[in-house]
Amino acid sequence: MYNGGSAGLTYWSPNVNIFRDPRWGRGQETPGEDPVLAGTYAAYYVKGLQGNDGDRLKVAACCKHFTAYDLDNWNGVDRFHFNAQVSKQDIEDTFDVPFKMCVQDGNVASVMCSYNEVNGVPTCADPNLLRNTVRGQWKLDGYIVSDCDSVGVFYNTQHYTTTPEQAAADAIKAGLDLDCGPFLAQHSEDAVKQGLLNEVDINNALVNTLRVQMRLGMFDGEPSVQPFGKLGPKDVCTPSNQDLALEAGRQGIVLLKNSGVSLPLSHRRHRTVAVIGPNSDATISMIGNYAGVACGYTSPLQGIGSYVKTIHQLGCANVACRDDKLFSAAIDAARQADATVLVMGLDQSIEAEFRDRTGLLLPGRQQELVSKVAKASKGPTVLVLMSGGPIDVSFAKNEPRIGAILWAGYPGQAGGAAIADVLYGTTNPGGKLPMTWYPQDYVSNLAMTDMAMRSSRHRNYPGRTYRFYKGPVVYPFGHGLSYTNFVHTIVNAPHVVTVPLDGHRRSGNATVLGKAIKVNHARCNKLSVGLQVNVKNTGSKDGTHTMLVFSTPPAGHWAPSKQLVAFAKVYVPARSEQQVGISIHVCKFLSVVDRSGVRRIPIGLHRIHIGDVKHSVSLEAATLGVIKS
């Protein structure tokens, strides 16, 4: 637990920034493009790290990087020099949602401010973001930390202040408690001496950091007698933890395409499999970035080799795939085998921290290799993709010779075993895409620096993420196939839900007449829409189904075209059905944000979508007490 004495009990994780642009090098660290998904992930991730022992912490988690941080190094603009111009609407509606849920639902011990400026102010020097929002409105019980050397960056690189003492004073007065880096240690004392900072400001920051250390038990004496003090290296690579790594790999795989009965492969018909591609024998690339030391690796080649005889050729020396020197051997292998699995995609040389992608296509000559191998293959051809971000594989989607496409993400230490289990049907895939897969031309005229979420016809701006983009996609957010079929039926759902208003607020009749009630004018506490949904597995294979519930609000052109409001995972054996209860909190999830950044509940018909099933719920306002106009 104490990392053999080489690290502390604070983990600056999870990264819950919105995966706004498909080129972002750090998108791989995040839970995707949807704010509700990212916020739900944040809350559960934090609870998993911090434990459930009341105020005591197992470890301290940290939600990062606050806020509107989703550009690393693109086209000459880097995160240290980037001033994100963001509307109040997009801040409230998109960028801040995961952080708010992380603090309020996850009760996180720490929030990290980012390198970039937002509307001209470095986030680590912005009292409106840190002191007023995170600590004031959201009631953070913990400390606020800078990204590493952020205070130095806003002084030295962004030139936000004229002296280092002023930078230190601005950061601490804005609400920053801890500096990852030496800047505050070097300049805070002089800031106090110059009268720019009071000792009470420093004391407040110390209280916030020391209190988290106390909650971690760091002042409770000998660590080995504390509740988690006996944990050590022996507890890391246990069989149950390694089984969990395999299961995580399996659950993360998304089946994008499966023509006819290309998958699962058959032991009898496909006795020899050609395993081809620069990621075919991948090990360390499978764990992506920000990972610990793996207990051991099972590469795709090893995973498939545990099922059948393999013929292995790389085809490309690496994912950059700059030449065709290894093509002919790969094509020969495909001609000899009963089936071909191409393991292609990206790694940290293409997408990484401080490395944004230049485009969405497979790098170098990978696409050419896939097409030539598929043409030569005498059996079914399966394309397996490793990447953190989306890839435009329209050519493979539309190529009849490529029977199936899997996206494995960066599937972890047991990734190869997980891929093989899905290829051979030992595991029925149930993953869904957490981000839209766009065609290459989506990004050709779209600057990564443009932060607007909503589309704009007059400036030829396409909009971002499934909530606001209406153009063509390669695969949509939430896409994912199975080896069986699931059918939804809504068993029970209300048609009308009354939203009680607090009549003692000076809200005026215009609140209701305007067709959208301010959330802070409604009595939100337990106001929810309850649905009972039957999920029937009509196929012959047991499977796990992720049910995504979307809502289309009635609020005109400033609302999303649809938004995720709930999701649930359910295991359904073949030819049976399960009933799933869904509760949609009205104020949190059926609300939208107006142009002024005010969250409102649209009155009128909300259309709920679950797969092909649609249900309409009418929200009606009911005044309690007397409204004073």
Side-chain angles (χ1 to χ4, degrees):
M1 197 61 195
Y2 286 76
N3 283 293
S6 62
L9 294 178
T10 292
Y11 288 81
W12 285 338
S13 187
N15 180 344
V16 297
N17 292 115
I18 296 298
F19 199 172
R20 170 188 63 99
D21 188 292
R23 294 164 288 192
W24 186 31
R26 295 188 80 173
Q28 60 182 297
E29 299 173 34
T30 76
E33 70 182 33
D34 181 82
V36 170
L37 171 63
T40 306
Y41 166 98
Y44 279 99
Y45 192 119
V46 166
K47 288 175 182 176
L49 279 182
Q50 295 188 169
N52 53 9
D53 187 11
D55 204 36
R56 189 180 185 95
L57 297 168
K58 187 176 188 180
V59 298
C62 173
C63 280
K64 63 184 189 183
H65 313 79
F66 187 67
T67 184
Y69 170 82
D70 42 26
L71 175 147
D72 265 69
N73 191 2
W74 175 81
N75 209 24
V77 181
D78 69 37
R79 59 191 179 175
F80 306 127
H81 297 83
F82 181 47
N83 177 19
Q85 298 289 330
V86 193
S87 69
K88 287 181 179 176
Q89 186 177 35
D90 285 339
I91 281 277
E92 174 67 28
D93 182 48
T94 299
F95 296 109
D96 280 7
V97 172
F99 293 95
K100 184 177 183 179
M101 291 175 71
C102 179
V103 173
Q104 294 188 334
D105 301 343
N107 197 23
V108 74
S110 171
V111 170
M112 179 186 284
C113 50
S114 54
Y115 288 116
N116 55 290
E117 295 176 274
V118 173
N119 299 328
V121 184
T123 64
C124 294
D126 192 338
N128 186 48
L129 289 177
L130 306 187
R131 192 177 65 228
N132 299 351
T133 302
V134 175
R135 195 168 297 287
Q137 290 175 32
W138 300 347
K139 305 285 188 279
L140 173 72
D141 181 15
Y143 68 93
I144 298 173
V145 62
S146 72
D147 204 342
C148 293
D149 204 33
S150 282
V151 186
V153 165
F154 80 65
Y155 169 66
N156 291 306
T157 306
Q158 295 166 354
H159 309 297
Y160 183 67
T161 63
T162 53
T163 67
E165 294 81 14
Q166 189 65 60
D170 282 6
I172 292 172
K173 288 196 290 189
L176 189 72
D177 301 307
L178 182 66
D179 178 20
C180 171
F183 198 91
L184 291 187
Q186 291 167 348
H187 302 293
S188 298
E189 186 178 351
D190 286 340
V192 174
K193 287 176 179 173
Q194 291 175 24
L196 300 170
L197 194 59
N198 295 320
E199 280 193 45
V200 70
D201 298 318
I202 290 178
N203 287 341
N204 288 339
L206 280 170
V207 166
N208 291 330
T209 52
L210 287 168
R211 188 165 179 276
V212 171
Q213 290 184 337
M214 289 173 179
R215 292 171 64 196
L216 286 164
M218 290 171 69
F219 299 94
D220 293 353
E222 171 56 40
S224 63
V225 299
Q226 303 309 320
F228 308 116
K230 295 241 178 338
L231 291 173
K234 69 182 189 310
D235 301 295
V236 178
C237 294
T238 61
S240 63
N241 283 353
Q242 299 210 56
D243 288 346
L244 189 62
L246 174 58
E247 183 57 25
R250 289 169 176 154
Q251 288 194 27
I253 291 171
V254 184
L255 179 61
L256 297 174
K257 172 185 177 180
N258 193 19
S259 301
V261 286
S262 299
L263 289 180
L265 296 174
S266 155
H267 297 89
R268 290 192 304 277
R269 290 198 312 277
H270 311 120
R271 292 173 184 237
T272 307
V273 174
V275 183
I276 294 165
N279 281 329
S280 58
D281 202 17
T283 53
I284 198 164
S285 351
M286 294 194 298
I287 60 175
N289 66 352
Y290 279 96
V293 179
C295 302
Y297 294 106
T298 306
S299 73
L301 177 64
Q302 290 170 320
I304 295 165
S306 71
Y307 279 91
V308 285
K309 184 184 170 193
T310 57
I311 309 170
H312 180 231
Q313 290 293 336
L314 281 174
C316 300
N318 50 44
V319 295
C321 199
R322 291 195 176 91
D323 58 57
D324 63 355
K325 288 177 185 170
L326 305 177
F327 279 23
S328 60
I331 291 164
D332 280 349
R335 285 199 183 106
Q336 295 170 45
D338 302 317
T340 300
V341 176
L342 287 139
V343 193
M344 313 297 288
L346 317 177
D347 64 15
Q348 302 305 304
S349 69
I350 304 291
E351 54 176 0
E353 182 168 1
F354 218 64
R355 183 179 289 125
D356 295 323
R357 289 159 68 193
T358 53
L360 303 182
L361 298 173
L362 283 167
R365 299 177 72 171
Q366 282 196 42
Q367 181 171 323
E368 185 187 343
L369 173 67
V370 172
S371 296
K372 286 181 172 174
V373 165
K375 194 173 179 183
S377 178
K378 71 176 185 186
T381 301
V382 180
L383 174 61
V384 177
L385 299 165
M386 275 191 207
S387 71
I391 304 171
D392 180 357
V393 286
S394 305
F395 81 99
K397 178 185 177 183
N398 300 324
E399 170 55 70
R401 290 174 181 272
I402 298 170
I405 306 173
L406 289 179
W407 179 57
Y410 291 122
Q413 66 171 43
I419 289 166
D421 288 348
V422 169
L423 290 174
Y424 279 90
T426 309
T427 294
N428 188 351
K432 304 287 185 188
L433 287 182
M435 75 299 240
T436 305
W437 283 35
Y438 303 92
Q440 166 67 15
D441 62 8
Y442 170 76
V443 298
S444 53
N445 296 309
L446 179 62
M448 265 191 86
T449 49
D450 196 321
M451 300 295 290
M453 297 301 295
R454 287 156 175 79
S455 59
S456 169
R457 195 173 296 163
H458 78 267
R459 63 188 191 100
N460 198 28
Y461 185 74
R464 295 184 180 277
T465 78
Y466 80 94
R467 295 163 70 226
F468 303 108
Y469 169 69
K470 297 182 179 70
V473 301
V474 181
Y475 291 109
F477 172 87
H479 176 72
L481 306 173
S482 169
Y483 295 151
T484 188
N485 294 301
F486 297 98
V487 177
H488 305 102
T489 313
I490 294 177
V491 181
N492 193 12
H495 292 282
V496 178
V497 171
T498 302
V499 179
L501 300 185
D502 189 340
H504 299 289
R505 289 186 175 272
R506 292 185 168 273
S507 51
N509 289 324
T511 301
V512 180
L513 296 175
K515 296 296 184 190
I517 299 164
K518 287 183 179 180
V519 161
N520 62 1
H521 289 183
R523 295 195 171 179
C524 290
N525 196 14
K526 291 179 181 173
L527 184 61
S528 63
V529 175
L531 306 168
Q532 292 295 323
V533 183
N534 270 359
V535 180
K536 186 170 187 179
N537 181 344
T538 60
S540 58
K541 289 183 184 294
D542 301 348
T544 299
H545 176 58
T546 304
M547 188 170 78
L548 304 179
V549 184
F550 295 96
S551 163
T552 299
H557 59 270
W558 42 264
S561 51
K562 68 173 183 175
Q563 57 190 10
L564 187 71
V565 293
F567 55 93
K569 208 164 203 173
V570 57
Y571 176 76
V572 192
R575 298 192 179 85
S576 69
E577 66 182 11
Q578 299 282 350
Q579 192 164 116
V580 183
I582 294 286
S583 181
I584 305 166
H585 194 288
V586 171
C587 295
K588 273 189 182 178
F589 302 130
L590 294 183
S591 57
V592 295
V593 177
D594 68 18
R595 286 194 186 91
S596 303
V598 176
R599 191 167 282 280
R600 297 175 179 272
I601 305 162
I603 294 303
L605 222 53
H606 291 246
R607 289 174 177 81
I608 309 292
H609 317 248
I610 306 170
D612 296 329
V613 178
K614 291 182 172 61
H615 175 79
S616 292
V617 178
S618 179
L619 297 186
E620 297 180 356
T623 307
L624 304 177
V626 179
I627 289 187
K628 296 175 182 174
S629 59

